[in-house]
Amino acid sequence: MRRDLMGPVNVDGSHQSGFEVARLIVNPTQNGLIRAQNRESILGRVGTAGETRRTWKPNVQEKRLFSYALDRHIRVKVTTHALRCIDKAGGIDEYLLKTPYQRMDTEMGLLWKAKIEKLYQELGQAEAFFFSPEEEARIEAGFEEYRAARRAAKKSSSQDPAAEGGAS
């Protein structure tokens, strides 16, 4: 949090002093999932010009990742290394849940992690509902009747109508 001393604006556009305005300044690199990627540099020799510093930036992509916990897509800037980590973890939800707070590099990652943890905690407190064995057997029998009716309808529609019409 950065606090600047700026006063109310006068008619001529100048500020009156002594008035404190709070403003949150977020680093632009903090709005994505950057996984252990910093700007790299080396010293190299190019011809006879002497040493030249070469730099590489991380490979940052803007992606839409689906969150099952939030049941929607999340638009996020992510490095290719973080994408591989997300795939390995099994999705964005699992990646955020498995990554400890100390290893979270960005504020946005911390925000989504807190949201998903809260949703999973609420799901864990929800009361589970189970059917009795008799009720479960009745439901299963209903599904079996439905499947049998679908098989019969499929079988009757697959018979050739021209063969039946030519016999009569």
Side-chain angles (χ1 to χ4, degrees):
M1 183 74 75
R2 180 177 149 187
R3 297 189 179 273
D4 293 330
L5 288 176
M6 294 176 55
V9 179
N10 292 331
V11 178
D12 62 344
S14 64
H15 293 280
Q16 296 175 4
S17 62
F19 184 78
E20 189 175 30
V21 177
R23 190 173 13 154
L24 178 64
I25 296 177
V26 177
N27 188 348
T29 61
Q30 295 294 307
N31 60 1
L33 293 175
I34 313 294
R35 176 79 182 208
Q37 296 281 327
N38 296 321
R39 182 178 229 173
E40 297 180 20
S41 65
I42 64 165
L43 288 175
R45 293 194 181 269
V46 179
T48 59
E51 293 183 345
T52 305
R53 184 166 296 276
R54 296 179 59 194
T55 61
W56 292 270
K57 294 180 183 176
N59 188 2
V60 178
Q61 309 289 324
E62 186 161 334
K63 295 288 182 182
R64 279 181 35 201
L65 303 172
F66 187 76
S67 169
Y68 289 101
L70 300 172
D71 196 28
R72 68 183 190 95
H73 283 91
I74 300 172
R75 187 174 297 273
V76 62
K77 288 182 182 176
V78 61
T79 60
T80 52
H81 178 69
L83 274 175
R84 287 192 302 272
C85 293
I86 290 168
D87 285 341
K88 187 176 179 180
I92 187 70
D93 298 332
E94 288 78 12
Y95 170 76
L96 290 172
L97 290 174
K98 289 178 183 178
T99 306
Y101 279 102
Q102 295 83 8
R103 300 240 3 228
M104 272 298 163
D105 297 334
T106 62
E107 294 168 7
M108 197 217 67
L110 291 171
L111 174 78
W112 287 113
K113 180 178 175 70
K115 279 186 180 181
I116 291 173
E117 281 181 345
K118 183 179 176 186
L119 283 172
Y120 272 103
Q121 185 179 15
E122 290 172 0
L123 281 174
Q125 293 174 354
E127 186 175 323
F129 179 74
F130 296 103
F131 291 111
S132 66
E134 297 83 21
E135 186 72 19
E136 196 170 323
R138 189 182 66 76
I139 292 171
E140 185 62 36
F143 278 128
E144 190 55 45
E145 289 174 13
Y146 171 72
R147 287 187 205 115
R150 273 188 68 183
R151 281 193 294 263
K154 194 174 188 180
K155 190 174 187 181
S156 66
S157 69
S158 67
Q159 292 178 349
D160 190 17
E164 291 176 1
S168 45

